Amino acid sequence: MSLRAFAERSGLAGALLALVACQSQPPAVNPDDPEIVAAVDSILNRAVAAAMKVDAEGALSVSTMDETFTFITGDTMLTGYDQALAAFRQTYSMLQGQTNEVIEKRTRVLSPDVVLVSAVSEGTYTDKAGFTSAPVGLGSTLVFVRRNGEWRVIHFHQSVAR
């Protein structure tokens, strides 16, 4: 007797089909979920407002604020909130202010607890002597995770585009 015939006679095939049908499926996710997108946009706007005021703590307050946070710019990777905060403080200590205008942004909900934000923006910085830079293009990617019901940035990558 073949294995197939044995399975059919023993009811094993039906049991296997039932088992496969009962396996947990990942929850369906709307990649443009308006509630999640609005929550993430609000958090991102708070961080940008703090960065424009050269407030390092405020800019990074939306991060996971622990060793899981990473920030990459150019050929520099900062690992962990403490290392990123020290670098932001050092950079911001030389500035009076910054501007940042988002030109294009795409927010994609990847799962109920992970969101990817990609953006292109243009900004300037003004140093302590009052010099304001020419507009600089920036490309940014942020990965948000939801932990204990709260959205936080776990990874931030920013590159000078031009």
Side-chain angles (χ1 to χ4, degrees):
M1 173 184 295
S2 73
L3 182 59
R4 181 177 181 176
F6 174 77
E8 288 173 353
R9 288 188 183 162
S10 67
L12 186 59
L16 287 175
L17 285 174
L19 181 62
V20 169
C22 291
Q23 286 182 343
S24 66
Q25 300 295 319
V29 63
N30 174 358
D32 301 310
D33 183 305
E35 186 177 319
I36 293 175
V37 170
V40 166
D41 280 349
S42 174
I43 293 164
L44 189 53
N45 290 340
R46 190 172 78 225
V48 169
M52 291 174 67
K53 295 176 186 174
V54 294
D55 172 7
E57 288 82 0
L60 291 176
S61 69
V62 302
S63 78
T64 54
M65 299 180 77
D66 60 22
E67 70 283 346
T68 64
F69 176 67
T70 55
F71 174 78
I72 296 176
T73 185
D75 63 352
T76 301
M77 181 166 75
L78 305 172
T79 304
Y81 173 79
D82 292 337
Q83 186 181 33
L85 181 59
F88 272 57
R89 281 179 176 158
Q90 180 181 5
T91 298
Y92 285 4
S93 72
M94 298 180 280
L95 302 178
Q96 275 184 22
Q98 301 181 92
T99 66
N100 186 3
E101 180 182 345
V102 176
I103 297 166
E104 185 176 357
K105 180 175 68 163
R106 182 173 183 200
T107 302
R108 290 176 283 170
V109 180
L110 302 179
S111 80
D113 296 315
V114 179
V115 172
L116 178 67
V117 177
S118 304
V120 175
S121 61
E122 187 174 81
T124 62
Y125 65 88
T126 302
D127 68 17
K128 295 276 184 169
F131 168 79
T132 299
S133 71
V136 175
L138 300 170
S140 301
T141 304
L142 298 96
V143 178
F144 284 81
V145 295
R146 182 166 36 191
R147 294 180 178 166
N148 302 318
E150 186 174 44
W151 287 104
R152 294 283 185 171
V153 176
I154 195 167
H155 179 78
F156 178 27
H157 176 239
Q158 187 171 64
S159 296
V160 175
R162 55 183 150 89

